[in-house]
């Protein structure tokens, strides 16, 4: 089989759809060419988020772990490891003590202590009971508390401000040497002493005025934090990252996004003002959804969520995935079904199914925000050249993923292992409906996907198996849905395939059940796992 060729389409239509629920929870959907690629949730009840800064108290130092547990006021103590102290932990500790007792506010002339050694004991740096300034690095996951660090930083649109680190760093993704020098020169002229600055990729070709404005806002955030220290009741939050919606808009919106749709007027105004603050020319891409139909249904997000978050995820050509989540890892099993080309060898069919699955798997990783260890059980490939093609395909597809990740080559068992940055729990959305037959004692896959499943089955039977006459037996409700109307679904099928499609109503069928028969009224058994089976 020839090596897969990736299409480089620089004109992908990117949109963001945002809905606000009655309890003020927010859901954000990222679409690429109308296809859902990421879903984010912001709960009003979330007690801490990545980027929040707390003035906590050291609860217990654990020499055996070379770590400490920090009381930040949440249900579970946060975890601070020696490696997360940063080089300037001693200086920050001294500054916090001075700020609390002497109301010291400026770090411009604050004496810098020697850097913390890369290898050492945490008990030499912090002690039980002392106040400590920490920042959330990973949100609480399952039974674990948040993970924190002492390398305090504040992210803006173009810059990241790092107190007590007197240097300038330019994103490695800005490769033009002249542009790197220009940005460094701009920041050097406006940066206060004892502050470090990281110039983000999005700052490329940005004028000095916008960069300075961004720096001023970040400095104000630091000054606000310092002003809260003397009167703070430990433990407490002293600086909050932007809410997830605003932070997402700030970090990802660029010229490639064509629209941001919002269904709540107050949130619409807030987002429009945010976009206008860093890109006045793009503020008009923010649009208020005024249709009566819910925004997620209008943009087909609800249907895609139902079809993408179940245990079984269908791909195409009969290929489907089984996705399992455990405490330690995520496991994805690739299955080919029976709809493979008879003209190809088993090896060619296996490679084709694996490459189709790879595209969907990369989308699933982003969509569910799966982090930590991910094991993918692909269909076995006998030839090493095909395993190389599969590994290269996964690597190429994962380049779109902004989360840090590592991909290991396909091993002899047909497994690919991936480690992916994990900062919060994976997104899990309940997609099952209450079964009308058992009145809720069991669950079935969402009925919204039944039509898609039947469409896929008929497409396969007519195009691949060359059937000329199909009889479809369904529940009376489904029969009515497919046959009623001037231009019914049944008529559309016959026009599309130029074949006869007969639909029979059977009261004994379950509402999510259907059977197909050929022209001789012999039942056609399909061994692929359909959408409606959990």
């Amino acid at each position: 089989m020839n090596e897969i060729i990736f299409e480089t389409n620089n004109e992908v239509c990117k949109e963001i759809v945002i809905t606000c629920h009655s309890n003020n929870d927010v859901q954000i959907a990222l679409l690429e060419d109308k296809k859902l690629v990421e879903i984010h949730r912001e709960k009003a009840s979330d007690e801490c988020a990545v980027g929040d800064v707390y003035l906590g108290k050291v609860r217990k130092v654990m020499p055996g772990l070379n770590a400490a547990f920090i009381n930040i006021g949440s249900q579970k103590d946060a975890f601070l490891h020696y490696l997360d102290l940063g080089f300037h932990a001693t200086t920050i500790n001294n500054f916090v003590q001075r700020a609390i007792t002497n109301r010291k506010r400026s770090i411009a002339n604050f004496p810098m202590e020697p850097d913390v050694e890369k290898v050492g004991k945490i008990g030499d740096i912090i002690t039980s009971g002392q106040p400590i300034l920490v920042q959330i690095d990973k949100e609480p996951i399952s039974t674990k508390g948040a993970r924190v660090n002492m390398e305090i930083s504040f992210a803006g649109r173009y810059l990241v401000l790092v107190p007590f680190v007197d240097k300038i760093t330019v994103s490695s993704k800005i490769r033009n040497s002249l542009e790197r020098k220009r940005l460094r020169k701009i920041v050097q002229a406006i940066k206060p002493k004892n502050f470090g600055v990281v110039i983000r990729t999005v700052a490329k070709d940005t004028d000095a005025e916008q960069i300075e404005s961004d720096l001023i806002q970040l400095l104000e955030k630091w000054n606000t934090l310092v002003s809260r220290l003397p009167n703070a009741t430990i433990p407490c939050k002293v600086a909050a990252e932007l809410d997830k919606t605003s932070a997402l808009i700030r970090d990802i919106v660029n010229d490639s996004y064509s629209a941001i749709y919002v269904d709540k007027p107050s949130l619409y105004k807030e987002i429009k003002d945010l976009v206008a603050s860093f890109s006045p020319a793009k503020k008009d891409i923010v649009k208020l959804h005024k249709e009566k139909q819910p925004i997620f249904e209008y943009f087909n997000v609800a249907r895609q969520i139902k079809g993408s978050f179940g245990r079984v995820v269908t791909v195409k050509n009969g290929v489907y995935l089984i996705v399992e989540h455990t405490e330690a890892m995520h496991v994805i099993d690739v299955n080919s079904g029976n709809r493979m080309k008879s003209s190809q060898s088993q090896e060619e069919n296996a490679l084709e199914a694996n490459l189709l699955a790879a595209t969907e798997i990369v989308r699933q990783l982003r969509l569910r925000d799966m982090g930590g260890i991910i094991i993918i059980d692909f269909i076995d490939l006998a030839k090493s050249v095909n395993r190389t093609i599969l590994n290269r395909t996964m690597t190429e597809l994962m380049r779109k993923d902004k989360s840090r990740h590592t991909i290991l080559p396909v091993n002899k068992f047909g497994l690919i292992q991936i480690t992916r940055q994990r900062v919060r729990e994976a997104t899990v959305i309940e997609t099952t409906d209450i079964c009308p037959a058992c009145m809720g004692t069991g669950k079935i896959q969402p009925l919204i996907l039944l039509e898609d499943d039947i469409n896929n089955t008929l497409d396969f039977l007519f195009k691949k198996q060359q059937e000329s006459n199909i009889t479809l037996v369904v529940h009376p409700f489904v029969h009515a849905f497919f046959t009623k109307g001037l231009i019914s679904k049944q008529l559309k099928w016959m026009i599309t395939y130029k074949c006869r499609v007969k639909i029979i109503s059977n009261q004994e069928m379950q509402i999510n059940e259907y059977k197909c028969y050929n022209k001789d009224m012999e039942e056609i058994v399909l061994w692929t796992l359909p959408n409606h089976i959990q």
Side-chain angles (χ1 to χ4, degrees):
M1 178 176 284
N2 294 330
E3 193 167 323
I4 189 168
I5 298 175
F6 294 95
E7 296 181 7
T8 54
N9 180 11
N10 296 323
E11 297 185 358
V12 175
C13 176
K14 295 183 179 181
E15 300 169 306
I16 299 175
V17 180
I18 302 172
T19 183
C20 188
H21 301 292
S22 56
N23 59 356
N24 288 327
D25 288 358
V26 176
Q27 277 189 298
I28 311 132
L30 273 61
L31 308 180
E32 292 182 1
D33 288 334
K34 307 298 181 182
K35 189 168 186 178
L36 182 66
V37 294
E38 289 185 30
I39 187 81
H40 299 268
R41 294 182 297 179
E42 180 187 344
K43 294 184 179 181
S45 59
D46 284 349
E47 60 180 16
C48 63
V50 174
D52 289 349
V53 181
Y54 285 81
L55 180 61
K57 180 178 288 188
V58 179
R59 173 91 72 181
K60 186 184 296 184
V61 175
M62 306 292 290
L65 298 174
N66 206 13
F69 288 100
I70 313 297
N71 177 14
I72 59 172
S74 60
Q75 291 183 347
K76 293 186 177 296
D77 289 342
F79 181 78
L80 174 67
H81 193 270
Y82 180 87
L83 297 177
D84 295 321
L85 292 176
F87 292 117
H88 305 286
T90 306
T91 303
I92 293 175
N93 282 336
N94 291 344
F95 180 81
V96 169
Q97 291 287 354
R98 293 274 296 276
I100 293 174
T101 57
N102 301 332
R103 300 180 181 270
K104 175 72 177 178
R105 297 193 176 187
S106 174
I107 69 172
N109 298 310
F110 194 80
M112 300 291 288
E113 298 290 337
D115 289 356
V116 174
E117 298 292 335
K118 289 184 178 181
V119 179
K121 297 180 179 179
I122 195 168
D124 296 336
I125 309 298
I126 60 177
T127 57
S128 295
Q130 78 166 73
I132 187 171
L133 198 65
V134 293
Q135 188 166 33
I136 304 295
D137 195 30
K138 293 183 180 179
E139 294 175 10
I141 297 174
S142 187
T143 58
K144 301 175 183 177
R147 182 152 184 169
V148 296
N149 66 71
M150 290 187 66
E151 299 179 281
I152 311 299
S153 63
F154 300 99
R157 168 72 174 175
Y158 306 110
L159 308 174
V160 177
L161 183 70
V162 188
F164 302 104
V165 182
D166 201 357
K167 66 177 182 178
I168 300 171
T169 306
V170 184
S171 168
S172 60
K173 293 182 181 179
I174 301 177
R175 303 231 170 103
N176 186 294
S177 59
L178 293 177
E179 178 63 9
R180 293 174 67 87
K181 289 179 182 178
R182 184 187 74 89
L183 292 170
R184 189 182 293 275
K185 186 176 180 181
I186 292 172
V187 173
Q188 187 65 58
I190 59 178
K191 181 187 74 69
K193 186 180 178 183
N194 278 353
F195 282 97
V197 173
V198 179
I199 302 173
R200 305 182 71 176
T201 308
V202 74
K204 182 182 177 183
D205 300 325
T206 303
D207 60 49
E209 184 179 350
Q210 289 178 290
I211 292 175
E212 183 176 10
S213 175
D214 200 36
L215 180 61
I216 290 171
Q217 291 180 18
L218 296 176
L219 287 170
E220 287 178 357
K221 194 168 185 177
W222 166 255
N223 291 331
T224 301
L225 180 156
V226 174
S227 67
R228 290 173 177 169
L229 295 180
N231 301 315
T233 302
I234 304 174
C236 66
K237 184 187 296 186
V238 289
E241 172 61 293
L242 288 174
D243 58 78
K244 188 176 292 185
T245 307
S246 299
L248 191 69
I249 299 296
R250 176 198 67 195
D251 291 342
I252 71 170
V253 171
N254 52 38
D255 291 339
S256 65
Y257 281 85
S258 59
I260 302 172
Y261 300 97
V262 191
D263 64 355
K264 184 178 180 181
S266 59
L267 188 59
Y268 157 77
K269 185 180 184 307
E270 181 182 329
I271 292 174
K272 189 164 188 173
D273 290 343
L274 176 64
V275 174
S277 68
F278 61 76
S279 181
K282 298 288 289 181
K283 67 177 183 179
D284 290 334
I285 70 170
V286 185
K287 306 177 189 297
L288 180 63
H289 178 72
K290 298 180 180 179
E291 304 294 332
K292 291 183 179 180
Q293 189 177 13
I295 190 169
F296 268 23
E297 292 182 16
Y298 185 84
F299 288 98
N300 200 35
V301 174
R303 177 184 286 269
Q304 292 191 62
I305 289 175
K306 290 284 188 180
S308 300
F309 277 90
R311 177 175 174 268
V312 179
V313 179
T314 56
V315 186
K316 60 181 179 180
N317 295 347
V319 179
Y320 63 93
L321 311 175
I322 305 291
V323 184
E324 298 281 4
H325 304 282
T326 73
E327 183 72 19
M329 66 180 68
H330 308 278
V331 182
I332 302 174
D333 183 37
V334 178
N335 297 274
S336 64
N338 68 340
R339 305 183 187 185
M340 304 310 291
K341 297 176 183 177
S342 58
S343 60
Q344 295 182 165
S345 67
Q346 180 180 350
E347 181 80 1
E348 289 174 323
N349 279 328
L351 179 58
E352 183 176 327
N354 283 338
L355 296 181
L356 286 172
T359 301
E360 180 61 27
I361 287 169
V362 172
R363 172 175 171 262
Q364 286 290 323
L365 296 185
R366 292 177 62 191
L367 196 57
R368 303 186 189 215
D369 199 13
M370 287 188 273
I373 301 173
I374 300 137
I375 306 294
I376 305 169
D377 183 10
F378 283 101
I379 302 168
D380 290 345
L381 295 168
K383 297 180 180 178
S384 60
V385 64
N386 289 336
R387 292 196 292 271
T388 301
I389 290 172
L390 177 58
N391 188 72
R392 194 179 302 158
T393 300
M394 282 296 297
T395 302
E396 188 70 26
L397 291 170
M398 286 290 286
R399 286 183 182 176
K400 294 181 180 179
D401 193 343
K402 293 183 178 179
S403 296
R404 293 194 302 272
H405 59 268
T406 302
I407 305 174
L408 297 183
V410 186
N411 65 20
K412 63 181 180 180
F413 302 113
L415 304 178
I416 280 185
Q417 301 175 61
I418 299 176
T419 59
R420 187 172 181 270
Q421 183 182 17
R422 184 184 188 187
V423 296
R424 57 182 62 87
E425 284 192 282
T427 302
V428 178
I429 297 177
E430 180 63 59
T431 61
T432 53
D433 291 337
I434 295 177
C435 177
C438 63
M439 299 305 293
T441 60
K443 290 184 177 180
I444 61 173
Q445 283 284 46
L447 296 175
I448 194 172
L449 299 179
L450 179 62
E451 181 185 349
D452 292 344
D453 192 25
I454 294 176
N455 275 333
N456 292 336
T457 299
L458 291 178
D459 189 73
F460 168 71
L461 293 177
F462 285 127
K463 290 184 177 180
K464 301 293 175 63
Q465 286 201 180
Q466 303 297 314
E467 300 286 350
S468 59
N469 189 328
I470 293 294
T471 298
L472 189 66
V473 181
V474 296
H475 185 275
F477 289 169
V478 180
H479 177 272
F481 176 75
F482 286 145
T483 57
K484 300 300 181 184
L486 184 62
I487 304 179
S488 66
K489 192 70 179 177
Q490 181 185 21
L491 180 60
K492 288 181 180 178
W493 282 331
M494 290 193 287
I495 293 172
T496 300
Y497 299 112
K498 297 180 175 57
C499 296
R500 185 166 181 265
V501 180
K502 184 179 180 180
I503 304 179
I504 298 177
S505 171
N506 186 339
Q507 187 71 41
E508 294 181 358
M509 300 284 284
Q510 296 294 336
I511 193 169
N512 65 317
E513 183 183 8
Y514 68 92
K515 293 181 180 179
C516 295
Y517 296 85
N518 61 18
K519 62 182 179 180
D520 299 321
M521 288 306 293
E522 297 172 337
E523 184 177 354
I524 302 171
V525 179
L526 298 171
W527 292 103
T528 56
L529 192 63
N531 281 334
H532 60 268
I533 296 179
Q534 177 71 9

